[in-house]
Amino acid sequence: MATSDNKLADTDERIFIGKGEETAWLTLALANRHGLVTGATGTGKTVSLQVMAEGFARAGVPVFAADIKGDLSGISEVGEAKDFIVKRAQEMGLTFQPDQFSTVFWDVFGEQGHPVRATVTEMGPLLLSRMLDLNDVQEGVLNVAFRVADENGLTLIDMKDLRALLDAIAPDGSKKGADDGEDPLAPIRKAAQSYGNVSKATVGTIQRQLLVLENQGGAKFFGEPALTLKDFMRTDRDGRGMVNILVADKLMQSPRLYATFLLWMLSELFEELPEAGDLPKPKLVFFFDEAHLLFNDAPKALMDKIEQVVRLIRSKGVGVYFVTQNPIDVPDKVLAQLGNRVQHALRAFTPRDQKAVAAAAQTFRPNPKLDTARVIMELGKGEALVSFLEGGGTPSMVERILVRPPSARIGPITPEERKAIMDASPVKGKYDIAIDAESAYEIIQKRLAGTATPADGSSGDGGGILGHIGAIAATIFGTNVKRGRLSTGQVIARNVTRSVTDKVVGGVVADLGKSVGGSVGGSIGRALVRGALGGLLRR
């Protein structure tokens, strides 16, 4: 979309969002300071999201967005010069020019997009406890399970791995009085009990919660090949950013799974990306729709981690934009990090609604020309109050604008169009077929059958001190680590480069020193390299 004088076109430095008495621009160099898009249902939030996504893509910035209703999928097809679109463009002094954007569709269930998977180990105990809605005691037992898995070389890939591990750490009443040699899993049970009382009842409750998650389709999310986040950060042949759309209509039927999945993605980005400082434009922009689901009933410990990730991920070159109905859906500590604001209409039919409108108005920098609270209730569809960060990083005064019409199609695409896009996808075939590699379930079954090798991977003869030194060297240099698994040396190298994980590096080195002096296991340092939200660092 452009004008003859090109004054309202996107540039290499900013995105044109809309126009009122003043023109609203989103500065790319400040886009990683995060943002917020709010408004009641049907007031135009999705269109605003699409306009912003198109602008980022034009600037060569990859985009990830959750698509709750399917409307955002139209960004992949050429826009249509419908009467209301042409009229809106003319009102703003624009000439409508149809466009489309390279798009990759993703789907946790693998039905309307490429499958998205993570391993149980990568998810970590904190996020998994949130997903399963566990209490403090149950979360503690899950942490014990992960610790035991780390120390015994039991890789947790999918749900059956976790179930097998939980069965292994649960006390076995039928084995009372038996010698350890009669129970192949006795060392695992003993290790679990060394961290505190692990009761069979608590393990059973966690198993039942896993069943609930499986019934919601969550089991499809855990497995391999696991998602490689660099596949989100692509540009097309024209240098435009790829638009990654998470098909979330079915996923939204399990709100806790939806919120935890997106939070896991944020934590993975936070852990994997190097420090970047202030860039001319973000490396990736992440739109989190129905953001209130992330914060509902979240325990304080998790809220603190969320606030930390949002605050620090800016320096990794990632912009996070929350989309929800009202600013009060977002906790104050997180809200304070969101510098770029787009507010669509809110309706005040009850005293609570009126309080919400007043709170929304107070989040903007006042404009003497506007009664912000009154205008919020008067906004028409496609209108918004906006405040974007200016050159010094300070928010501009709130302005009332008409949001520009998107260049791509508004509304969903057809199944045939979706299939054509997926067939031409740059990741076609990479994730479409699940792989069931040997992991905790298979290892535990072998131990029960008496055919498993020791947990440290040795042949049983020890090999003496030279054998131990060789094992350490092989682990450090990665020669005995399966493809896709991280060696201790790689872990250390990865973490040394990260200023936010200096303490973790110290812990890894200290643990390595202890292991050299004492037990030389295959899990050296493994338990000490979990990320901010509990996932295991992989690269």
Side-chain angles (χ1 to χ4, degrees):
M1 210 182 307
T3 58
S4 56
D5 58 9
N6 214 33
K7 290 182 179 179
L8 296 181
D10 293 341
T11 71
D12 292 337
E13 299 178 351
R14 58 187 186 173
I15 301 170
F16 171 54
I17 302 297
K19 190 170 183 288
E21 288 191 11
E22 301 289 337
T23 304
W25 299 95
L26 175 57
T27 303
L28 286 167
L30 299 172
N32 66 332
R33 306 294 177 90
H34 310 318
L36 182 68
V37 181
T38 54
T41 301
T43 56
K45 294 194 300 295
T46 302
V47 170
S48 292
L49 192 161
Q50 182 170 334
V51 166
M52 296 170 75
E54 290 182 1
F56 283 120
R58 285 192 192 94
V61 178
V63 172
F64 174 89
D67 189 13
I68 303 296
K69 298 174 293 185
D71 293 346
L72 194 58
S73 61
I75 198 171
S76 61
E77 299 295 331
V78 178
E80 303 172 27
K82 295 182 177 179
D83 292 342
F84 74 93
I85 294 176
V86 173
K87 181 180 178 183
R88 169 76 61 86
Q90 290 175 346
E91 289 174 355
M92 304 176 71
L94 299 172
T95 300
F96 178 73
Q97 295 180 344
D99 204 349
Q100 67 183 126
F101 299 84
S102 300
T103 305
V104 178
F105 291 103
W106 303 89
D107 184 358
V108 167
F109 303 102
E111 296 173 356
Q112 301 182 68
H114 301 291
V116 181
R117 300 185 192 90
T119 67
V120 174
T121 294
E122 292 163 358
M123 179 61 66
L126 178 61
L127 289 181
L128 193 56
S129 297
R130 160 77 166 165
M131 190 179 290
L132 297 174
D133 195 20
L134 302 183
N135 63 28
D136 290 343
V137 174
Q138 294 155 3
E139 182 179 346
V141 171
L142 193 62
N143 273 278
V144 169
F146 272 76
R147 182 62 177 267
V148 170
D150 289 340
E151 293 179 346
N152 286 270
L154 300 173
T155 307
L156 301 176
I157 302 295
D158 51 27
M159 295 289 261
K160 71 178 186 298
D161 291 325
L162 184 56
R163 284 195 176 280
L165 177 63
L166 289 169
D167 286 338
I169 68 171
D172 189 349
S174 65
K175 296 286 185 181
K176 286 183 178 180
D179 294 333
D180 284 354
E182 297 177 11
D183 179 7
L185 301 182
I188 294 178
R189 301 188 206 280
K190 185 177 180 180
Q193 294 298 330
S194 71
Y195 293 111
N197 182 37
V198 176
S199 71
K200 197 163 187 176
T202 302
V203 171
T205 301
I206 299 174
Q207 293 277 31
R208 288 191 293 274
Q209 290 300 97
L210 284 174
L211 178 61
V212 173
L213 182 62
E214 288 173 351
N215 289 341
Q216 294 175 346
K220 293 184 178 180
F221 172 56
F222 294 106
E224 288 185 325
L227 178 66
T228 303
L229 290 181
K230 67 181 180 181
D231 285 332
F232 284 158
M233 306 177 72
R234 295 173 177 263
T235 55
D236 63 16
R237 66 183 64 181
D238 298 320
R240 289 182 166 193
M242 299 288 290
V243 179
N244 299 275
I245 294 181
L246 175 69
V247 180
D249 51 351
K250 184 176 178 181
L251 184 60
M252 272 300 296
Q253 297 174 21
S254 306
R256 191 176 292 272
L257 176 59
Y258 167 79
T260 309
F261 164 67
L262 290 188
L263 181 55
W264 167 77
M265 286 191 56
L266 274 181
S267 69
E268 285 287 287
L269 287 167
F270 172 70
E271 291 168 7
E272 291 190 18
L273 294 178
E275 292 288 322
D278 293 323
L279 300 173
K281 60 185 179 183
K283 292 181 179 180
L284 175 73
V285 171
F286 190 106
F287 288 96
F288 199 136
D289 203 358
E290 299 292 341
H292 65 281
L293 296 173
L294 176 61
F295 308 107
N296 286 352
D297 303 320
K300 184 180 184 304
L302 182 59
M303 285 300 307
D304 290 343
K305 294 297 185 182
I306 294 171
E307 189 269 334
Q308 178 194 33
V309 169
V310 173
R311 176 165 47 86
L312 296 179
I313 203 171
R314 176 194 68 78
S315 64
K316 307 295 185 82
V318 177
V320 182
Y321 287 72
F322 294 100
V323 183
T324 188
Q325 292 203 5
N326 197 294
I328 63 174
D329 294 336
V330 181
D332 290 343
K333 284 186 177 180
V334 176
L335 194 62
Q337 309 296 326
L338 312 181
N340 300 295
R341 308 281 181 90
V342 178
Q343 173 70 62
H344 289 275
L346 291 174
R347 309 306 177 199
F349 300 116
T350 67
R352 184 180 183 278
D353 293 338
Q354 293 170 1
K355 188 180 295 185
V357 169
Q362 292 170 4
T363 64
F364 285 102
R365 178 182 168 187
N367 184 339
K369 299 179 182 179
L370 292 176
D371 181 344
T372 307
R374 178 179 58 80
V375 172
I376 287 176
M377 295 184 287
E378 296 176 350
L379 292 170
K381 187 173 183 179
E383 285 189 300
L385 290 173
V386 300
S387 174
F388 297 122
L389 294 178
E390 297 178 322
T394 58
S396 63
M397 286 192 299
V398 61
E399 295 286 350
R400 181 175 184 170
I401 68 163
L402 196 62
V403 178
R404 72 185 280 186
S407 302
R409 182 188 301 177
I410 299 176
I413 61 176
T414 66
E416 293 75 21
E417 290 170 331
R418 183 184 300 274
K419 184 178 184 304
I421 292 171
M422 290 181 62
D423 287 343
S425 169
V427 295
K428 178 177 172 59
K430 182 173 181 179
Y431 300 104
D432 298 335
I433 299 176
I435 299 172
D436 189 9
E438 181 178 87
S439 47
Y441 173 80
E442 290 79 12
I443 294 171
I444 289 173
Q445 292 303 310
K446 285 183 178 180
R447 291 190 188 181
L448 289 171
T451 60
T453 57
D456 63 0
S458 67
S459 62
D461 58 3
I465 186 62
L466 292 179
H468 289 324
I469 293 173
I472 294 171
T475 301
I476 290 176
F477 294 104
T479 57
N480 66 348
V481 178
K482 292 182 180 179
R483 183 178 180 183
R485 302 292 191 270
L486 188 65
S487 73
T488 302
Q490 291 167 326
V491 168
I492 295 173
R494 173 184 173 184
N495 283 282
V496 166
T497 62
R498 296 180 179 179
S499 61
V500 295
T501 53
D502 285 342
K503 292 183 179 179
V504 174
V505 175
V508 173
V509 174
D511 189 67
L512 178 60
K514 292 176 185 177
S515 297
V516 171
S519 170
V520 186
S523 60
I524 297 174
R526 198 180 285 138
L528 294 180
V529 291
R530 294 195 179 277
L533 290 173
L536 191 71
L537 305 183
R538 289 185 297 132
R539 278 175 283 281

